[in-house]
Amino acid sequence: MSSDIKKTMWKAMSDSPKVMVSLVGEDMHAEPMYAQLDKDADSEFWFYTSRDNRIAKGGKAMVHFASKGHDVFACIRGNLTCESRKEVIDKYWSNPVEAWFEKGKDDPSLLMLRFELIDAEVWDADPSLKGMFKMLTGKTVKPEEMGEHEKVDL
């Protein structure tokens, strides 16, 4: 099951890579970010941000994800670290990214962070027919009737 739910999470994230990110142990709210995903990298992804952003210092972080259809949810634990490899910065560069940086890739405020994934808790909310019937009629629903839920290493 772990492999299937991981694939479900990655597919949902590739369809809509908008997430909420926060640093662990900091007294601050999570903020929306756009994850740069690589179809061949399933243990990391990246964020473009500015050097004065609240997550710029990196460290232990949490990423929260809800799919477009609100049927896949994930809370991903990992570490944010500065990405300095020019080839990675160039690989994900796009017009929407450039719009945030006045001097493009040469902007002194540009920072790319790599999110190195540790593990995740994933919910695939695909209710069974029995679960849907119970929910619609106000009967008690068991968690297993509403889809899969699993903690997975990434």
Side-chain angles (χ1 to χ4, degrees), residues 17-137:
K18 297 170 186 158
V19 299
M20 296 293 288
V21 183
S22 63
L23 297 178
V24 174
E26 299 290 326
D27 188 22
M28 65 178 72
H29 292 285
E31 67 177 311
M33 299 293 284
Y34 191 95
Q36 306 295 325
L37 303 174
D38 182 335
K39 65 180 179 71
D40 297 322
D42 65 356
S43 61
E44 60 190 5
F45 48 83
W46 296 265
F47 302 107
Y48 289 100
T49 191
S50 61
R51 295 189 182 282
D52 63 352
N53 185 284
R54 67 178 84 171
I55 64 168
K57 73 177 189 174
K60 292 183 179 186
M62 295 293 272
V63 167
H64 305 274
F65 170 76
S67 67
K68 278 197 256 185
H70 300 115
D71 53 354
V72 178
F73 301 88
C75 182
I76 307 167
R77 181 175 25 204
N79 290 300
L80 280 172
T81 184
C82 179
E83 178 60 76
S84 58
R85 294 175 291 176
K86 186 175 178 345
E87 66 271 15
V88 176
I89 294 167
D90 291 345
K91 181 177 182 176
Y92 299 105
W93 194 259
S94 64
N95 288 339
V97 172
E98 189 162 359
W100 287 93
F101 300 97
E102 190 174 324
K103 296 180 181 175
K105 291 183 215 172
D106 297 323
D107 197 308
S109 70
L110 173 65
L111 175 65
M112 186 177 223
L113 293 170
R114 180 176 61 251
F115 186 60
E116 299 165 342
L117 289 63
I118 296 172
D119 60 14
E121 196 161 352
V122 183
W123 293 262
D124 181 8
D126 185 14
S128 68
L129 186 57
K130 184 177 181 181
M132 285 299 293
F133 177 77
K134 284 181 169 183
M135 195 166 59
L136 292 172
T137 59

